[in-house]
Amino acid sequence: HDALTSLRFRIMASFRSYVWDPVLIVAQIIAMQCIFYVCLGGWLCLVDSTLGLDKSVHQLLDHREVADFDNGRPTMLASSLNCLTCAIGLRTVIGRSKQCFDFASTLYFFHVVLTTIYSGIPTHWGWWVLNGVCMALTTVLGEFLCMRVEMSAIPVTFALSNR
């Protein structure tokens, strides 16, 4: 009975807790990066297969893939579709609408860093516009999905006594 009371107290004390937990934050960032790249790779494979194009890792991290508008369309389409899967990831991994912008901007910040390491500093304005719009879409869609859950009715049941 004492252990159950202690467990209930810990659960209630952590409900909507605003305690800064760096291990949780780092784990969430890593999870979101994994979701981002795995899903982007999946979308690229689907788009490339549908269009009969060769698949390449360059599409993930080479900013020059977007520089040529005609050849960069599959990457642009996959990046746009990836906004939805990342928004679902924000809803699943983060779960708070107030934190969606923070995690989406962190996600795209690390994408800029990895792209720079892989292929140099992105110099084409189209790459920056694409990723800026994708970050905004990911944030707004993630906030929308999180708010739908946050605003949903909480079922409350009352025990009626027999009188």
Side-chain angles (χ1 to χ4, degrees):
H1 176 53
D2 227 5
L4 184 60
T5 304
S6 174
L7 178 63
R8 283 185 187 153
F9 176 76
R10 281 188 287 150
I11 290 171
M12 292 309 292
S14 68
F15 181 73
R16 294 290 184 214
S17 174
Y18 295 102
V19 176
W20 187 66
D21 185 359
V23 174
L24 175 64
I25 293 169
V26 169
Q28 289 172 320
I29 290 170
I30 292 169
M32 286 305 302
Q33 289 299 139
C34 290
I35 289 169
F36 179 81
Y37 286 110
V38 168
C39 292
L40 180 58
W43 285 117
L44 283 166
C45 283
L46 181 69
V47 169
D48 288 344
S49 296
T50 303
L51 299 175
L53 302 172
D54 293 332
K55 295 161 198 65
S56 169
V57 74
H58 293 296
Q59 291 176 296
L60 289 172
L61 294 171
D62 193 340
H63 62 87
R64 293 169 292 222
E65 287 290 322
V66 180
D68 180 14
F69 183 75
D70 291 330
N71 293 330
R73 280 192 232 166
T75 303
M76 292 179 203
L77 177 61
S79 295
S80 300
L81 292 170
N82 200 39
C83 294
L84 178 60
T85 51
C86 286
I88 293 168
L90 285 172
R91 162 56 196 102
T92 306
V93 175
I94 310 305
R96 300 283 318 276
S97 60
K98 289 182 177 183
Q99 295 176 332
C100 285
F101 174 74
D102 298 334
F103 280 93
S105 57
T106 302
L107 179 71
Y108 281 92
F109 170 76
F110 281 117
H111 181 57
V112 170
V113 170
L114 290 173
T115 299
T116 301
I117 291 169
Y118 184 80
S119 63
I121 297 172
T123 55
H124 190 265
W125 63 271
W127 186 90
W128 290 101
V129 169
L130 173 68
N131 283 283
V133 168
C134 286
M135 186 186 86
L137 278 172
T138 300
T139 301
V140 170
L141 290 171
E143 286 177 351
F144 173 75
L145 293 174
C146 288
M147 285 202 305
R148 282 184 52 134
V149 173
E150 290 172 356
M151 301 302 284
S152 65
I154 299 172
V156 178
T157 58
F158 294 99
L160 298 174
S161 59
N162 294 332
R163 290 189 193 184

